[in-house]
Amino acid sequence: MLAVQQLKRVFKGGSAGFRNLHFTVQESEIIGILGTSGCGKSTLLRVLAGLDQNFTGKLKNKDKDGKQPGMMFQEPRLMPWLTVKENIGFGVKDGAGKEVEIQQFIDLVGLTGFENHYPKDLSGGMAQRTAIARALITDPSVLLLDEPFSALDAFTKMQLQDLLLSLWEKRKTTMVLVTHDIDEALYLCDRIFVLKGQPGEQYAELILDDIKKPRQRGSHELAERKSNILNLLDLSRQEAN
Amino acid sequence: MASKTELWQSRASEKKKELLRPLLKERLQGSWLGLIIPMILLISWEIASVRGVFEAHLLPAPTVVLAKISEMAADGSLWSHIWITLYRVFIGFVIGTASAVVIGSFVGYWKLAENLLDSLVQAFRSIPSLAWVPLFILWMGIGEPSKIVLIAVGVFFPVYLNIVAGIQGVDRKLIEVGKIYQFSSLQIVRRIILPSALPSFITGIRSGLGVGWMFVVAAELMGASEGLGYLLVEGQNTYAPDVVIASILLFALLGKGSDSVLKLVETKALHYQDTLANQG
């Protein structure tokens, strides 16, 4: 599926990026990558997506058809000159059934009625829904998400996290989610990797597949894991430095 | 979720209906408003001329100018003057724009082409374009080719500058989206770079057209037997200010008219932009 060995990408004289990463992602898993800012989370995702080729180590990111992972960015990155419908179909090859498929995805992400709107007329949440549909419609075997909800307000964020989970229930797409939101990682992920340091290294791995999804936000179980992660990240000491 | 979407939907369609009508009305009102001051000026000019404030052999009344225009329209000479001037501007504009698009696209997209060509183009740009006139006449005579080439040279630079700026200003983040879909370079150019650069391309052709009208006058002053610029020379030589003013008036109308066409294209093509001009 997606596997890395000894993966390293550093820049700024070795003080930024990440190194020594080893992990394998299983099919239909949701992996979370957590870490404080500057530990190379986004760089890792760019390498996994094939946008950054200057890495060393082994990277397997193509599926058996040679297809690269799909990606969703922090900003929606919609083409301003295309409507919602055209944006969703942006990466789809023309052919019979394209329109039908686009409409299915519009309904799936709850944008029915907004097919012909332009990005300037969309709210942040709606734009990110469009971006989710655009990323999933090409049916990538892995979807990479780079802090996809960090620019949204708390309520929209929760709605979209639920939308992402419901899409995952339907399609079982493998996902790698980079985030700095511990609650988000705990709510969505089966496994969480904690990165730490500059450049970032794999510091800990948390396995959460014993807690069934959909999970209860703010439940005792999650709170326990959260304090666990906070201890791991050791925020107080880092601030003192 | 469903009920919320419905709510959005109904609100959106309501909003659309609300917006459409006043918008149309506003547009019309807007264009009428633009006529008020020119009309006041024309009427005061007429009154002043009739009262003898302006001397008729220097500044004839607007009615005299209009009479001259309709006289030329009646004997048919007006149409051939307008036609030849329009033809020169159009051909020069097309040639200038086309070459600017080709060279500008290379320079904007390809770093090597920028290093090779851009400083040369910038050096040529700093030559006042009228300085070419003697050379063009020497090379091509005073026929159509020298005039059209002069206009094309004038049109080239604003279009070129805007295309290069437009392409170089394309958001890297949008290009990355294309890379995620494993687009080829050609697909990235066609589906992301060109549409992104469209607004500045349109700005470029609008200013290019303006320059084209300036240069057609220069070209026709340097020797022509027909055209609105020739009417200027003829009016000067025959002491006929009404002909000169008629020609200036026609330049104003044609220039404004052709720019309005491009502006219409601009509004149609760029309606998706979230700008002050597109504010509902």
Side-chain angles (χ1 to χ4, degrees), chain A residues 46 49 51 68 71 73 75 77-81 90-91 110 112-114 117-118 120 129 134 138 159, chain B residues 1 4-5 8-9 12 172-174 176-177 179-183 191-192 195-196 271-274:
Chain A
R46 293 175 58 81
L51 290 174
Q68 280 188 7
M71 183 150 175
F73 300 91
E75 329 80 25
R77 301 200 183 180
L78 303 177
M79 305 297 144
W81 57 89
F90 189 67
T112 318
F114 289 89
H117 283 229
Y118 283 88
K120 66 163 176 157
R129 281 169 197 269
R134 181 180 67 181
T138 51
Q159 278 180 349
Chain B
M1 191 66 252
K4 194 157 202 184
T5 317
W8 277 344
Q9 202 177 342
R172 177 188 54 81
K173 291 175 173 177
L174 295 184
E176 278 181 2
V177 174
K179 288 193 174 148
I180 289 288
Y181 290 116
Q182 292 172 280
F183 279 5
R191 300 193 53 190
I192 300 172
S196 289
H271 61 93
Y272 62 80
Q273 284 186 319
D274 197 5

Side-chain angles (χ1 to χ4, degrees), chain A:
Chain A
M1 190 88 303
L2 183 70
V4 305
Q5 262 179 39
Q6 277 293 343
L7 196 69
K8 178 181 175 188
R9 167 75 170 109
V10 289
F11 43 89
K12 285 189 194 152
S15 67
F18 60 83
R19 64 186 177 195
N20 287 336
L21 291 192
H22 297 267
F23 59 82
T24 307
V25 180
Q26 306 300 328
E27 194 153 336
S28 73
E29 249 188 327
I30 303 184
I31 299 288
I33 312 259
L34 254 177
T36 44
S37 69
C39 69
K41 300 186 300 279
S42 294
T43 314
L44 170 62
L45 222 55
R46 293 175 58 81
V47 169
L48 294 180
L51 290 174
D52 187 336
Q53 303 282 356
N54 298 319
F55 58 87
T56 57
K58 273 194 189 153
L59 165 70
K60 180 182 174 290
N61 67 348
K62 289 191 173 129
D63 64 3
K64 42 192 182 304
D65 308 328
K67 206 153 66 170
Q68 280 188 7
M71 183 150 175
M72 218 186 125
F73 300 91
Q74 192 173 352
E75 329 80 25
R77 301 200 183 180
L78 303 177
M79 305 297 144
W81 57 89
L82 299 179
T83 60
V84 166
K85 201 164 69 182
E86 292 162 339
N87 263 299
I88 292 176
F90 189 67
V92 184
K93 292 201 172 65
D94 289 329
K98 181 176 171 177
E99 290 292 311
V100 179
E101 204 180 356
I102 291 174
Q103 192 57 49
Q104 277 171 359
F105 270 86
I106 287 172
D107 299 341
L108 212 54
V109 298
L111 285 172
T112 318
F114 289 89
E115 291 85 351
N116 296 319
H117 283 229
Y118 283 88
K120 66 163 176 157
D121 299 323
L122 299 179
S123 67
M126 288 155 79
Q128 212 51 313
R129 281 169 197 269
T130 312
I132 293 179
R134 181 180 67 181
L136 284 175
I137 197 170
T138 51
D139 201 20
S141 48
V142 181
L143 177 62
L144 308 169
L145 302 117
D146 185 6
E147 304 187 12
F149 309 132
S150 63
L152 302 173
D153 64 88
F155 297 108
T156 313
K157 193 185 227 177
M158 286 192 259
Q159 278 180 349
L160 288 196
Q161 287 164 354
D162 288 333
L163 171 67
L164 197 69
L165 266 189
S166 74
L167 290 171
W168 177 79
E169 293 289 345
K170 283 185 193 121
R171 308 175 64 87
K172 299 288 179 201
T173 310
T174 313
M175 300 187 193
V176 178
L177 170 75
V178 157
T179 181
H180 53 227
D181 182 340
I182 300 175
D183 295 315
E184 182 171 278
L186 287 169
Y187 186 65
L188 295 172
C189 300
D190 302 308
R191 278 196 289 161
I192 297 175
F193 297 127
V194 178
L195 298 191
K196 213 172 135 177
Q198 280 176 337
E201 287 185 77
Q202 207 160 326
Y203 186 69
E205 177 181 346
L206 280 96
I207 298 172
L208 294 139
D209 54 6
D210 53 321
I211 316 175
K212 268 207 143 80
K213 283 185 259 183
R215 293 169 184 156
Q216 203 69 43
R217 287 180 202 274
S219 73
H220 186 63
E221 266 173 315
L222 292 188
E224 220 169 77
R225 307 280 175 128
K226 185 173 179 176
S227 70
N228 193 359
I229 294 174
L230 286 172
N231 280 335
L232 282 172
L233 288 171
D234 209 1
L235 288 171
S236 52
R237 202 188 305 165
Q238 212 164 49
E239 265 166 46
N241 288 344

